[in-house]
Amino acid sequence: MDEIFGAPGQLLASTIRNATPLVFAALGGMFSERSGVVNIGLEGLMLISAFAGVVGAFLSGSAVVALAFALAAGLVFALIHALMCVTFEADQIISGTAINLLALGGTGFLMVSVFGAGGTSPRVEGFGEVPIPLLSSIPVVGPALFSQSVLVYLMYVMVPATFFVLFRTPFGLRLRATGESPEAVDTAGISVGRMRYYGVALSGLLASLGGIYLSMGILSAFTENMTNGRGFIALAALIFGRWNPIGAAGAALLFGFALAVTFSAPQEAIPNEFLQMIPYVLTIVALAAFGGRAIAPAAIGKPYRKE
Amino acid sequence: MTEERTRGGTAGVEAPVVLEMRGVTKAFGPVKANDGVSITLGRGEILGLLGENGAGKSTLMKILYGLYSPDEGEVFVDGERAEIRDPKDAVSRGIGMVHQHFTLIPALTVAENIVLGAEPRKGATLDLAKAIKDTEELSERYGLRVDPRTRVADLSVGAQQRVEILKALYRKARILVLDEPTAVLTPQETEDLFSVLKELVADGLSIILITHKLGELLGISNRITIIRDGKVVETVEASGTDEGALARLMVGREVLLRVEKTEAKVGGPRLSAEGLVVLSGAGAKAVDGIGLEVRGGEILGIAGVDGNGQTELAEALAGTRPAESGLVRLDGEDVTRVGANGRQGRGLAYVPEDRGAKGLVQDFSLSENNALKTYDEAPFSKWGWIFPKAMRRRAAEALRAYDVRPPDPDARAGSLSGGNQQKAVLARELSGDPGVIIAAQPTRGVDVGAIEFIHRQLLEQRARGKAILLISLELEEVRSLSDRVAVIYDGRIVGEVGPDATDEELGLLMAGRTGGEKDA
């Protein structure tokens, strides 16, 4: 095993790194879908934020500015999705697809106008690894779990935090109720539209954390289409995890592991193309096995119109 | 007040007025759903709001609750003008509403449903413990039994209704509106509900009870306001009227409340089921071993509370839903593996319960709908071509025979009223001279005039020796039409009684309590 995949600690560290953007995006998708808005635009939200973060870092040299850029980009694109789906009652799948295409084409175009060339951006200062004292010196798991970027630690915190928000606050109750039965929420005197805007906006913010981790946590540059389907894998993780933060994070870890295997396996042993299939095949298998039985929010995908 | 009473036979309020709606008008397109409607409600009073489907009762109450905004008219609460723009305004004025279609969220618990939108907080977090405690206190105080920790999806319909009432009480409602609350209840549950309502009224609440069932209003309400075609016809004291008078006011003409039934001339068995098991969409056993037999010249009624397997039973017999196990026989032939089309070819007619979705294609014309099951047979079709002219001619005949208005074969099915849509379904299903008829909820959401017509048609088919299975939630309907009544509960036939069985007898069966010798 060791010769093929490297030390177990390395594989675990790589799993965490690959899972982090998926966890962020899946948690984001959860807020959107729990409010009743399908968000297949996660892919585009991550991509635009990955790009915006690099531009921020490129212009300022500051990681904080980069983060602000990424969050703003994710939020703006999410609000476009909300505007189309909630205010204009457009088809949510089409709107999400539009977000994805807009992000893909937009970043490609802006690459040329900002950096003068497409492909890969210049290197920027990324989020370095910040080992946590003591914890990081635990053998094997220590370095893998606790010698990572601050964004990874933020991900650790975000999983229980989103669980708490969803199940232990009035906001969470209202959000869940909105995704289940907007009519009931409306008669309870709560604005369905506002709850959905909140849900989609949160999905944009969380997805943007996943995006910036891709470009500035794992790499230190932006590459065109660097999300490469991760938004859709996050969506699968969300469904696989039954729209629950803990479940979605667990599923994201599984997919992260599949990605880690893909990257660390030696290419002489197994054809590269075959390896690269693994996460996607796993996604399909997981959805086929559990997707049908997963219980989606009852009102998901349907625009709410008052009589 | 006494003056008001003498004017046009309008019964006035004696207690202080807590609610007045004055001159309310609301139009949807060219149709005036409410046309200058005025009602008053006294403290501690139960006001019955009576009218046919589509008379405008629900529209009026939706205006009161802020779900619709009126074109004209004013609302006064405690003598003060109230601007009610959304449900929030209504709630803040102490108005609570129990909707006909419950607005509960099945995936959430009882307590979560009750506090939604007015959650008790501990800091920034939701205080679930307090929500549960508050719910328990309220439910004890008014005898509305329900466990706050249960998921609403696991509750019976009666219990869900109690949750709806608790939801209104939790928001400190002093005026409670109930929209057709008894439509989904067994007679016993209805009695329980009414005793709760009496308790609420004794506690100072005021209640508006919307219904189209005449009998129950007499027992419980103080006054009854009758609405017809969007206008108030009259307001009467409940003590000074009877069912016949109310029916006349409601429909605007003399109505036959009891159908005339001839002696049954029962023939041989035509439709039968043995050990029938049918799964619901969710995979549960919705029909759990039902055996029944319908003979020519009789109507077998299936009574029961909604959701006890009626839908699945009808569909399995009609062939639109597969039977998991068991047998279905049509005129002695095993048709269990025969599809809906094959069964129809063997003389089975099926009036599905959801005419909007399953009986008609809303966007098709009436002539297309009329040929929906026989479009591929002569005279509608030959060598793979269809002949619209023949379809239109046949449709015009059928529509006239079944009094569909308008009798225009080119009219879009969706443009017709519920009653006329149902008559159009009947026209298609019965004009082929079938031997066996399955009628599921044939009069749901249909006006009194159309109900009369549909009942007459069914009885005429019976007199012609057809075997009819009637599945209905309306106990009165089952009782007045059927020769035998089988009660369905939890996917089983729990008993069979004669049409003259008492409410108590039927009610117990409908609640699943099989007693003594009636055990099936």
Side-chain angles (χ1 to χ4, degrees):
Chain A
M1 275 301 268
D2 280 15
E3 318 77 81
I4 305 177
F5 292 117
Q10 274 170 14
L11 189 60
L12 182 59
S14 173
T15 297
I16 297 287
R17 275 196 297 276
N18 279 294
T20 297
L22 301 180
V23 174
F24 277 129
L27 293 178
M30 183 193 69
F31 278 111
S32 175
E33 303 217 334
R34 282 282 190 164
S35 81
V37 180
V38 177
N39 198 346
I40 65 161
L42 289 175
E43 173 88 3
L45 294 174
M46 285 169 86
L47 189 64
I48 193 74
S49 311
F51 176 75
V54 168
V55 171
F58 181 74
L59 296 178
S60 71
S62 150
V64 177
V65 173
L67 190 61
F69 266 59
L71 288 170
L75 184 62
V76 167
F77 267 62
L79 289 177
I80 294 174
H81 186 53
L83 185 73
M84 291 201 274
C85 297
V86 182
T87 307
F88 297 136
E89 297 171 8
D91 186 292
Q92 301 176 358
I93 302 295
I94 293 175
S95 171
T97 306
I99 294 286
N100 289 336
L101 294 175
L102 189 62
L104 186 60
T107 50
F109 169 73
L110 288 170
M111 276 291 283
V112 180
S113 30
V114 177
F115 300 116
T120 300
S121 77
R123 278 188 61 87
V124 293
E125 190 62 42
F127 288 89
E129 286 171 9
V130 185
I132 299 179
L134 292 177
L135 286 176
S136 59
S137 41
I138 302 170
V140 186
V141 294
L145 297 179
F146 301 110
S147 187
Q148 297 275 15
S149 144
V150 283
L151 289 170
V152 173
Y153 305 143
L154 184 61
M155 180 271 282
Y156 295 158
V157 177
M158 217 43 111
V159 177
T162 51
F163 183 88
F164 184 84
V165 168
L166 199 60
F167 292 106
R168 297 284 183 272
T169 67
F171 172 79
L173 176 63
R174 291 170 182 203
L175 193 81
R176 283 184 288 140
T178 308
E180 291 290 342
S181 168
E183 295 82 11
V185 168
D186 198 13
T187 48
I190 302 164
S191 162
V192 172
R194 188 181 302 167
M195 290 312 297
R196 291 194 162 168
Y197 262 91
Y198 284 148
V200 177
L202 280 172
S203 81
L205 293 174
L206 282 161
S208 67
L209 292 174
I212 195 172
Y213 180 72
L214 272 181
S215 62
M216 293 178 61
I218 298 177
L219 298 176
S220 301
F222 177 82
T223 308
E224 274 181 53
N225 193 25
M226 70 187 304
T227 44
N228 197 19
R230 280 180 178 77
F232 291 101
I233 298 181
L235 207 58
L238 174 64
I239 296 167
F240 194 25
R242 302 188 164 214
W243 289 270
N244 178 302
I246 312 293
L253 275 172
L254 180 68
F255 290 131
F257 173 73
L259 284 167
V261 170
T262 305
F263 293 133
S264 54
Q267 298 181 7
E268 318 81 70
I270 311 161
N272 192 27
E273 289 78 6
F274 184 80
L275 280 171
Q276 284 177 351
M277 275 167 34
I278 293 175
Y280 306 97
V281 170
L282 185 66
T283 304
I284 293 171
V285 170
L287 280 180
F290 297 96
R293 280 188 280 132
I295 298 145
I300 198 165
K302 296 177 206 132
Y304 178 65
R305 186 179 297 144
K306 264 185 136 126
E307 295 179 71
Chain B
M1 304 275 177
T2 37
E3 261 181 29
E4 224 179 286
R5 238 189 207 188
T6 49
R7 208 193 313 139
T10 301
V13 196
E14 308 199 355
V17 173
V18 289
L19 173 75
E20 184 179 358
M21 297 180 81
R22 209 183 279 165
V24 173
T25 298
K26 171 79 182 173
F28 296 101
V31 184
K32 276 190 178 171
N34 284 161
D35 189 0
V37 175
S38 300
I39 59 164
T40 53
L41 177 69
R43 166 156 315 138
E45 178 189 43
I46 298 183
L47 174 73
L49 205 53
L50 183 67
E52 292 195 64
N53 285 298
K57 301 164 299 198
S58 292
T59 304
L60 185 69
M61 289 303 109
K62 280 181 174 166
I63 288 170
L64 176 62
Y65 200 58
L67 290 169
Y68 292 157
S69 60
D71 302 334
E72 278 169 50
E74 294 169 313
V75 178
F76 297 85
V77 178
D78 292 327
E80 205 179 296
R81 211 183 147 214
E83 196 72 55
I84 298 172
R85 271 180 243 91
D86 55 35
K88 223 178 193 166
D89 291 344
V91 169
S92 73
R93 295 276 180 177
I95 300 168
M97 187 135 171
V98 175
H99 298 265
Q100 188 175 359
H101 305 287
F102 299 147
T103 58
L104 298 174
I105 298 159
L108 302 184
T109 67
V110 169
E112 284 175 328
N113 266 289
I114 286 175
V115 302
L116 179 68
E119 302 87 353
R121 289 160 196 252
K122 206 193 286 165
T125 67
L126 177 66
D127 194 349
L128 261 181
K130 186 166 188 309
I132 289 169
K133 205 176 109 244
D134 288 353
T135 306
E136 272 168 348
E137 274 174 19
L138 271 178
S139 99
E140 226 157 88
R141 185 165 154 205
Y142 294 106
L144 290 154
R145 289 162 294 104
V146 67
D147 177 8
R149 292 176 193 81
T150 323
R151 270 177 7 124
V152 164
D154 301 328
L155 292 180
S156 72
V157 181
Q160 290 188 22
Q161 190 171 61
R162 293 198 285 275
V163 177
E164 281 277 5
I165 297 173
L166 284 170
K167 208 168 132 183
L169 295 176
Y170 178 81
R171 286 162 176 74
K172 310 230 177 327
R174 291 173 306 109
I175 299 166
L176 194 61
V177 181
L178 295 109
D179 192 356
E180 301 279 2
T182 60
V184 291
L185 303 181
T186 65
Q188 274 83 4
E189 283 178 314
T190 301
E191 245 168 63
D192 287 349
L193 171 69
F194 283 178
S195 68
V196 167
L197 295 188
K198 280 178 186 150
E199 210 154 298
L200 291 172
V201 168
D203 209 41
L205 267 82
S206 314
I207 293 175
I208 298 178
L209 192 61
I210 304 176
T211 182
H212 67 275
K213 293 187 187 169
L214 307 162
E216 51 188 48
L217 272 182
L218 291 171
I220 184 149
S221 53
N222 302 80
R223 293 179 308 133
I224 301 168
T225 295
I226 299 105
I227 296 186
R228 192 203 314 148
D229 295 334
K231 292 191 181 108
V232 172
V233 181
E234 206 170 311
T235 298
V236 296
E237 295 283 348
S239 53
T241 186
D242 57 47
E243 285 192 37
L246 286 176
R248 249 192 326 276
L249 287 170
M250 185 163 103
V251 185
R253 61 179 169 81
E254 210 56 56
V255 200
L256 277 177
L257 287 176
R258 298 256 171 268
V259 276
E260 300 289 319
K261 207 161 66 175
T262 54
E263 196 66 36
K265 288 186 284 276
V266 180
R270 306 210 56 178
L271 172 71
S272 65
E274 286 165 37
L276 192 62
V277 176
V278 188
L279 301 187
S280 72
K285 273 188 189 172
V287 172
D288 193 5
I290 279 186
L292 54 80
E293 185 177 272
V294 196
R295 294 163 295 180
E298 72 164 356
I299 297 181
L300 173 65
I302 304 277
V305 179
D306 199 7
N308 274 294
Q310 292 98 322
T311 309
E312 290 81 1
L313 175 63
E315 291 179 354
L317 292 175
T320 59
R321 186 185 284 266
E324 188 67 12
S325 61
L327 280 181
V328 178
R329 282 209 177 85
L330 202 53
D331 288 324
E333 184 191 355
D334 178 1
V335 293
T336 317
R337 300 276 157 248
V338 176
N341 199 32
R343 292 187 203 188
Q344 171 223 326
R346 288 167 173 79
L348 176 81
Y350 174 41
V351 180
E353 62 175 30
D354 186 353
R355 63 175 163 273
K358 292 181 182 153
L360 294 168
V361 182
Q362 299 281 322
D363 283 328
F364 275 19
S365 71
L366 288 176
S367 74
E368 287 166 324
N369 270 296
N370 193 58
L372 214 51
K373 292 188 167 177
T374 46
Y375 65 93
D376 54 350
E377 297 166 13
F380 299 150
S381 169
K382 222 181 204 176
W383 305 307
W385 290 87
I386 57 167
F387 303 113
K389 226 184 231 168
M391 280 162 57
R392 218 175 276 131
R393 201 173 53 238
R394 276 292 175 89
E397 286 166 18
L399 297 176
R400 259 197 308 280
Y402 286 85
D403 189 35
V404 179
R405 288 174 229 175
D408 171 13
D410 294 322
R412 211 174 61 85
S415 68
L416 269 59
S417 75
N420 282 307
Q421 287 192 12
Q422 191 69 322
K423 285 192 272 185
V425 173
L426 231 52
R428 179 184 69 213
E429 295 299 327
L430 301 187
S431 57
D433 198 30
V436 179
I437 300 160
I438 299 173
Q441 323 281 9
T443 59
R444 178 191 269 183
V446 160
D447 56 277
V448 173
I451 290 176
E452 240 187 309
F453 182 86
I454 291 166
H455 285 175
R456 267 210 315 276
Q457 291 298 328
L458 289 175
L459 286 173
E460 196 177 298
Q461 297 291 332
R462 167 179 173 269
R464 290 169 55 193
K466 309 299 168 65
I468 300 171
L469 181 72
L470 170 70
I471 302 178
S472 174
L473 302 178
E474 300 279 346
L475 210 45
E476 238 357 272
E477 175 171 82
V478 175
R479 235 189 323 213
S480 62
L481 293 178
S482 309
D483 299 292
R484 294 181 292 137
V485 178
V487 180
I488 190 169
Y489 175 79
D490 204 14
R492 297 164 192 269
I493 300 290
V494 290
E496 190 188 303
V497 294
D500 47 2
T502 61
D503 264 3
E504 284 66 37
E505 220 178 318
L506 275 166
L508 282 174
L509 288 171
M510 284 162 74
R513 270 164 280 177
T514 48
E517 80 279 1
K518 291 284 176 200
D519 226 339

